[in-house]
Amino acid sequence: MQPVEATDDAFWDQFWADTATSVQDVFALVPAAEIRAVREESPSNLATLCYKAVEKLVQGAESGCHTEKERQIVLNCSRLLTRILPYIFEDPDWRGFFWSTVPGAGRGGGDEDDENARPLAESLLLAIADLLFCPDFTVQSHRKSTVDTAEDIHSIDSCEYIWEAGVGFAHSPQPNYIHDLNRTELLKLLLTCFSEAMYLPPSSDNSNTNPWVQFFCSTENRHALPLFTSLLNIVCAYDPVGYGIPYNHLLFSDYREPLVEEAAQVLIVTLDYDSSTSSSPTVDGTTTSTAMDDADPPGPDNLFVNYLSRIHREEQDFQFILKGLARLLSNPLVQTYLPNSAKKIQFHQELLVLFWKLCDFNKKFLFFVLKSSDVLDILVPILYFLNDARADQSRVGLMHIGVFILLLLSGERNFGVRLNKPYSVRVPMDIPVFSGTHADLLIIVFHKIITSGHQRLQPLFDCLLTIIVNVSPYLKSLSMVAANKLLHLLEAFSTTWFLFSAVQNHHLVFFLLEVFNNIIQYQFDGNSNLVYAIIRKRNVFHQLANLPTDSQTIQKALQRKKKTPEPISRTNSQEGVSMEGSRPAAPAEPGTLKTSLVATPGIDKLTEKSQVSEDGTMRSLEPESLPSPLEGSPPSAVSDTESWSGETSQPKQERRRLSSASSTGQWSPTSDWVISWKSKLPLQTIMRLLQVLVPQVEKICIDKGLTDESEILKFLQHGTLVGLLPVPHPILIRKYQANSGTAMWFRTYMWGVIYLRNVDPPVWYDTDVKLFEIQRV
């Protein structure tokens, strides 16, 4: 292949000639093998093609795309670049190419002014930003005009052309499906520019900011604010129901949905920012400064993160965002009475990442969410997704993000209080029918995940139980179904073979005991169901108190495990009738693609302990003043490379003393190790409760010849243990704290989702991505 001169316009123009093609055509006409061949054998031609395509976009942005021909050229160039960029990113030798300035690429090749000395990447990004606010191409023109008096692209104030009403903008432009399609194509190119991140292996080093995102979200981009606002509003204002008419989506094609998906993906990528390393951009929920105040601490240099962190108007903005996200997240749940009547959206994972970013970067938004009971409109869909995905290996990432969000919310007292609201909407889930509160729903779904999810969810158990611990002091009355589920978990986790088979399994028992203690000490009055369940299962507590610690019994318990590898016995967990319209969670379809994820930090790295004072305020506890994690089990910290199930790293000599490492380097339990944590099991409160109540309950049964539960429950409802229990312990909440481990996890998860969701056209498919592995289930 001979190098072609850059000046040979006839040759280059054929690539974007004004024939109407679609992005699918471009992908079909330009096969991967051909792009790679040009890259290897004729690099100067590939370089010229990229310069020329970018140059055409810059020219289109300068002229304002007034003619049909110019628009066609712009669209063709953006499709071509979308096709080629991934093959440039996958080759390390080409990676700097877009960041170099182009020799002689100034118009006319003579002296270059500064504008022409920009790196190619910057010219490309600025052109895309201009083109996204181009009257009559991507936005409604404000002038009824002929070509001569058309608006000058350089003088327009793009803030007047925000795409949709919502945050900071009240006017809703007429929908125009051609504009929607053009925006979608340009956003797809933008997302492809940002995707260089997929071709770098995951690293715990935070300095690797994405240069494309960094430049695009900087003050160099004069459209940063209107574009951020447009993307956010387009997503939150979207209503997939088809204007409320059932089956409407079958009659009319929805041009908005692809745009909304693309907008959500671009938005979460621009917000990929590690808040743990910066002075956090959030304003504390108690400050009274107005959001755009100059007195605010300077936020991060990423303007999108900065704008997100400064949104503050409750009634208008927060309400609009929360309602919009809740509407979209609930969309898959409303399919019940008229099957397929509503259009089912597929981008709930992007929405969950967006919700996470909002809560993480804008504490005022988080407090707003928690003080309205609308938080339950986010909770129910998350529980639905968790329950639905629990058996599907390809949706482990979805399970994690759902649990992360609930962990973040559970760190705030208001979340626990909100959970007491009765649960009356019936979402189709295969869980037992119960009448009770949202707290019951949460416990029942978590029980289902633990007892019938697939193996790879085990690292999440710590996190699921931490959430229940965090809300437990506020739960006014658990239903009998939920109380039995909690006791079933304790029973399963306290079998000797489970306790002795991994170094951190006993933590799960500590968490559950903490739940029972919190409820008994702080919410005894309304919780007769739980107290009754504890009395019925009292032998489990006695067995824990008398747990054998001699080596012989330990070995025997482990032998038993080899015969029964089942992680948690499902016996005596009566499932009962499921909700109407429910289908059991299905495993992944064979052949489904999934992307790998980096390990998440251990629960002690993910959270910090706070103590709740008498007046309900929290103070963060210094690690020294803490009883070591989980009531004094050896202090555990998991390195970022280990997953939750990884062994806790106690000081080496400590670990050697407490457990014997066999020659294969495998951990095995010792007597000393069992004694070290058994002595710290927080059983006093429960033992005292049993000591007082069991004789009384037995006496009633004998006196009245009772076997009837309701009589016993009535007695327990009126009982009191005031003065009989140990002094209440302080409430400990484990609050999520930002850290680089989760920041990296979010990056791999988010790009994995984007990779799998962009299959038509398949932008990244079959290119050599490094951030994750693609596996077939």
Side-chain angles (χ1 to χ4, degrees):
M1 232 182 310
Q2 292 306 306
V4 182
E5 282 301 317
T7 49
D8 182 353
D9 286 342
F11 174 80
W12 297 110
D13 283 350
Q14 62 184 351
F15 287 99
W16 32 82
D18 48 4
T19 52
T21 55
S22 69
V23 65
Q24 283 77 7
D25 296 341
V26 172
F27 272 66
L29 293 169
V30 186
E34 216 165 285
I35 304 173
R36 289 191 175 113
V38 177
R39 190 182 69 194
E40 305 312 322
E41 293 151 30
S42 183
S44 69
N45 284 355
L46 183 59
T48 308
L49 183 62
C50 292
Y51 298 146
K52 287 282 182 186
V54 172
E55 188 178 43
K56 289 289 173 202
L57 290 179
V58 171
Q59 284 168 8
E62 303 256 302
S63 73
C65 282
H66 293 309
T67 68
E68 203 38 60
K69 179 175 178 180
E70 284 177 292
R71 290 173 197 160
Q72 201 51 62
I73 289 177
V74 162
L75 290 172
N76 284 341
C77 287
S78 76
R79 291 160 185 160
L80 191 64
L81 285 166
T82 302
R83 179 61 170 145
I84 293 172
L85 276 165
Y87 297 92
I88 286 182
F89 294 151
E90 74 175 4
D91 184 337
D93 296 339
W94 276 81
R95 214 162 278 148
F97 167 70
F98 267 84
W99 293 97
S100 55
T101 46
V102 182
R107 308 277 128 62
D111 298 332
E112 285 158 36
D113 54 28
D114 290 342
E115 192 50 32
N116 287 331
R118 275 197 181 283
L120 201 56
E122 295 187 2
S123 305
L124 172 57
L125 290 170
L126 293 176
I128 296 173
D130 278 338
L131 288 164
L132 285 166
F133 291 100
C134 198
D136 290 325
F137 178 51
T138 48
V139 291
Q140 206 74 47
S141 170
H142 287 187
R143 280 189 205 154
K144 296 282 162 275
S145 63
T146 60
V147 173
D148 322 329
T149 59
E151 292 157 282
D152 174 18
I153 189 90
H154 296 291
S155 64
I156 69 171
D157 172 5
S158 45
C159 283
E160 295 172 10
Y161 290 89
I162 286 170
W163 300 349
E164 187 55 77
V167 175
F169 193 68
H171 167 67
S172 189
Q174 255 328 98
N176 177 323
Y177 83 93
I178 300 284
H179 293 174
D180 277 2
L181 294 175
N182 295 342
R183 292 164 178 174
T184 305
E185 300 242 22
L186 288 164
L187 289 179
K188 197 174 280 303
L189 172 57
L190 188 57
L191 194 60
T192 309
C193 291
F194 294 159
S195 70
E196 186 179 31
M198 284 194 204
Y199 299 90
L200 303 169
S203 77
S204 49
D205 171 27
N206 291 304
S207 58
N208 61 355
T209 40
N210 183 329
W212 295 83
V213 171
Q214 198 175 7
F215 178 79
F216 191 78
C217 298
S218 73
T219 48
E220 295 272 349
N221 177 359
R222 72 187 182 101
H223 303 291
L225 179 59
L227 190 60
F228 166 77
T229 312
S230 295
L231 295 172
L232 184 62
N233 292 354
I234 275 280
V235 172
C236 296
Y238 177 54
D239 184 358
V241 176
Y243 310 109
I245 303 162
Y247 300 104
N248 208 8
H249 64 290
L250 302 178
L251 307 177
F252 303 104
S253 145
D254 180 355
Y255 296 101
R256 181 106 319 174
E257 189 181 21
L259 174 63
V260 175
E261 288 196 11
E262 214 66 54
Q265 291 174 3
V266 168
L267 203 48
I268 60 180
V269 170
T270 51
L271 297 170
D272 177 19
Y273 177 84
D274 182 357
S275 59
S276 64
T277 54
S278 65
S279 58
S280 172
T282 53
V283 231
D284 172 53
T286 53
T287 55
T288 49
S289 63
T290 59
M292 297 297 179
D293 228 355
D294 295 336
D296 267 0
D301 41 12
N302 176 326
L303 290 179
F304 279 39
V305 174
N306 207 336
Y307 297 143
L308 186 77
S309 69
R310 287 160 172 261
I311 299 171
H312 68 289
R313 297 183 312 171
E314 294 202 350
E315 287 320 307
Q316 299 108 312
D317 299 346
F318 287 165
Q319 192 65 34
F320 164 74
I321 294 172
L322 183 57
K323 283 269 186 273
L325 291 176
R327 179 193 326 113
L328 292 171
L329 286 171
S330 310
N331 159 277
L333 287 56
V334 294
Q335 303 286 326
T336 40
Y337 298 111
L338 295 169
N340 308 320
S341 64
K343 186 180 172 86
K344 199 165 184 176
I345 61 159
Q346 301 297 330
F347 54 101
H348 47 270
Q349 301 196 78
E350 293 93 320
L351 293 167
L352 290 173
V353 176
L354 180 57
F355 180 76
W356 170 269
K357 298 281 180 198
L358 277 154
C359 293
D360 196 19
F361 293 147
N362 190 323
K363 287 294 170 270
K364 287 182 173 173
F365 177 75
L366 176 62
F367 294 132
F368 173 79
V369 168
L370 287 164
K371 74 176 184 202
S372 74
S373 57
D374 291 348
V375 65
L376 301 174
D377 297 337
I378 300 283
L379 168 75
V380 172
I382 288 178
L383 292 175
Y384 171 86
F385 294 132
L386 290 177
N387 184 56
D388 189 52
R390 67 178 193 275
D392 182 343
Q393 290 265 356
S394 67
R395 291 196 281 169
V396 179
L398 171 62
M399 299 293 295
H400 275 76
I401 186 172
V403 172
F404 280 157
I405 290 174
L406 298 183
L407 178 66
L408 178 71
L409 296 175
S410 75
E412 305 295 335
R413 171 181 179 274
N414 262 350
F415 182 64
V417 173
R418 295 277 160 246
L419 290 179
N420 289 309
K421 188 175 174 181
Y423 174 68
S424 50
V425 278
R426 286 283 176 246
V427 168
M429 285 197 233
D430 58 322
I431 54 171
V433 172
F434 68 96
S435 66
T437 64
H438 284 74
D440 294 309
L441 178 68
L442 179 127
I443 288 168
I444 291 166
V445 170
F446 282 11
H447 173 270
K448 192 97 182 182
I449 294 168
I450 291 172
T451 56
S452 66
H454 56 79
Q455 274 296 170
R456 290 188 54 211
L457 297 179
Q458 239 174 324
L460 279 177
F461 291 2
D462 271 358
C463 216
L464 291 167
L465 294 187
T466 298
I467 293 165
I468 300 180
V469 173
N470 281 349
V471 301
S472 59
Y474 311 109
L475 304 184
K476 294 198 180 315
S477 65
L478 286 185
S479 69
M480 191 57 94
V481 176
N484 285 335
K485 297 298 180 203
L486 285 176
L487 279 138
H488 175 240
L489 288 180
L490 182 71
E491 208 170 0
F493 290 148
S494 56
T495 59
T496 48
W497 69 256
F498 183 78
L499 282 174
F500 298 156
S501 60
V503 72
Q504 74 295 337
N505 281 358
H506 63 280
H507 290 185
L508 301 172
V509 168
F510 276 87
F511 281 134
L512 283 163
L513 292 175
E514 199 176 330
V515 170
F516 297 143
N517 289 338
N518 280 343
I519 294 179
I520 293 166
Q521 291 281 20
Y522 292 97
Q523 298 290 350
F524 180 82
D525 286 353
N527 275 298
S528 50
N529 287 330
L530 182 68
V531 173
Y532 178 60
I534 289 174
I535 292 174
R536 278 187 48 217
K537 290 286 183 187
R538 56 190 178 275
N539 63 323
V540 179
F541 299 97
H542 291 300
Q543 280 164 2
L544 268 176
N546 302 315
L547 189 73
T549 55
D550 59 294
S551 317
Q552 210 178 352
T553 318
I554 293 174
Q555 288 319 310
K556 217 182 259 167
L558 293 174
Q559 291 311 310
R560 207 171 324 141
K561 179 187 183 214
K562 291 203 177 80
K563 297 190 196 89
T564 55
E566 183 69 3
I568 288 180
S569 84
R570 305 206 169 103
T571 49
N572 63 16
S573 149
Q574 312 83 358
E575 275 311 309
V577 202
S578 281
M579 299 280 172
E580 119 190 50
S582 65
R583 317 173 315 283
E589 292 284 311
T592 310
L593 288 183
K594 63 174 183 160
T595 52
S596 63
L597 289 162
V598 293
T600 43
I603 192 72
D604 49 332
K605 278 269 178 65
L606 266 181
T607 54
E608 59 179 3
K609 287 191 179 174
S610 303
Q611 196 169 318
V612 182
S613 326
E614 295 291 305
D615 60 358
T617 55
M618 291 196 197
R619 63 187 182 86
S620 180
L621 292 180
E622 290 309 311
E624 301 77 85
S625 70
L626 278 177
S628 59
L630 305 172
E631 311 279 345
S633 55
S636 57
V638 179
S639 77
D640 283 347
T641 51
E642 297 172 306
S643 73
W644 273 325
S645 51
E647 181 169 322
T648 51
S649 54
Q650 302 145 8
K652 282 270 166 51
Q653 64 286 9
E654 177 84 345
R655 204 186 314 160
R656 234 177 259 126
R657 198 169 53 74
L658 291 177
S659 65
S660 61
S662 56
S663 53
T664 56
Q666 229 192 338
W667 174 85
S668 66
T670 64
S671 246
D672 285 350
W673 171 76
V674 178
I675 293 167
S676 74
W677 55 261
K678 177 190 167 182
S679 59
K680 304 194 177 80
L681 284 166
L683 287 164
Q684 308 78 332
T685 302
I686 296 171
M687 290 311 195
R688 186 80 187 110
L689 172 135
L690 292 172
Q691 196 187 349
V692 174
L693 292 180
V694 170
Q696 299 182 356
V697 169
E698 284 175 341
K699 184 173 184 321
I700 294 177
C701 294
I702 293 166
D703 289 356
K704 304 195 171 164
L706 271 188
T707 47
D708 180 20
E709 280 192 3
S710 59
E711 284 291 320
I712 300 172
L713 284 168
K714 206 173 287 170
F715 163 73
L716 290 174
Q717 265 159 16
H718 300 300
T720 169
L721 292 175
V722 175
L724 296 172
L725 293 178
V727 179
H729 54 285
I731 297 175
L732 278 188
I733 301 289
R734 293 171 182 82
K735 287 175 77 107
Y736 169 81
Q737 54 172 357
N739 60 77
S740 44
T742 40
M744 192 63 230
W745 184 89
F746 270 96
R747 182 172 306 155
T748 54
Y749 170 60
M750 168 184 82
W751 279 113
V753 168
I754 291 172
Y755 177 96
L756 294 172
R757 298 261 296 108
N758 283 273
V759 288
D760 180 28
V763 183
W764 299 280
Y765 188 69
D766 258 355
T767 60
D768 187 15
V769 294
K770 294 275 193 296
L771 185 62
F772 42 78
E773 289 162 28
I774 292 101
Q775 300 141 340
R776 270 187 196 284
V777 177

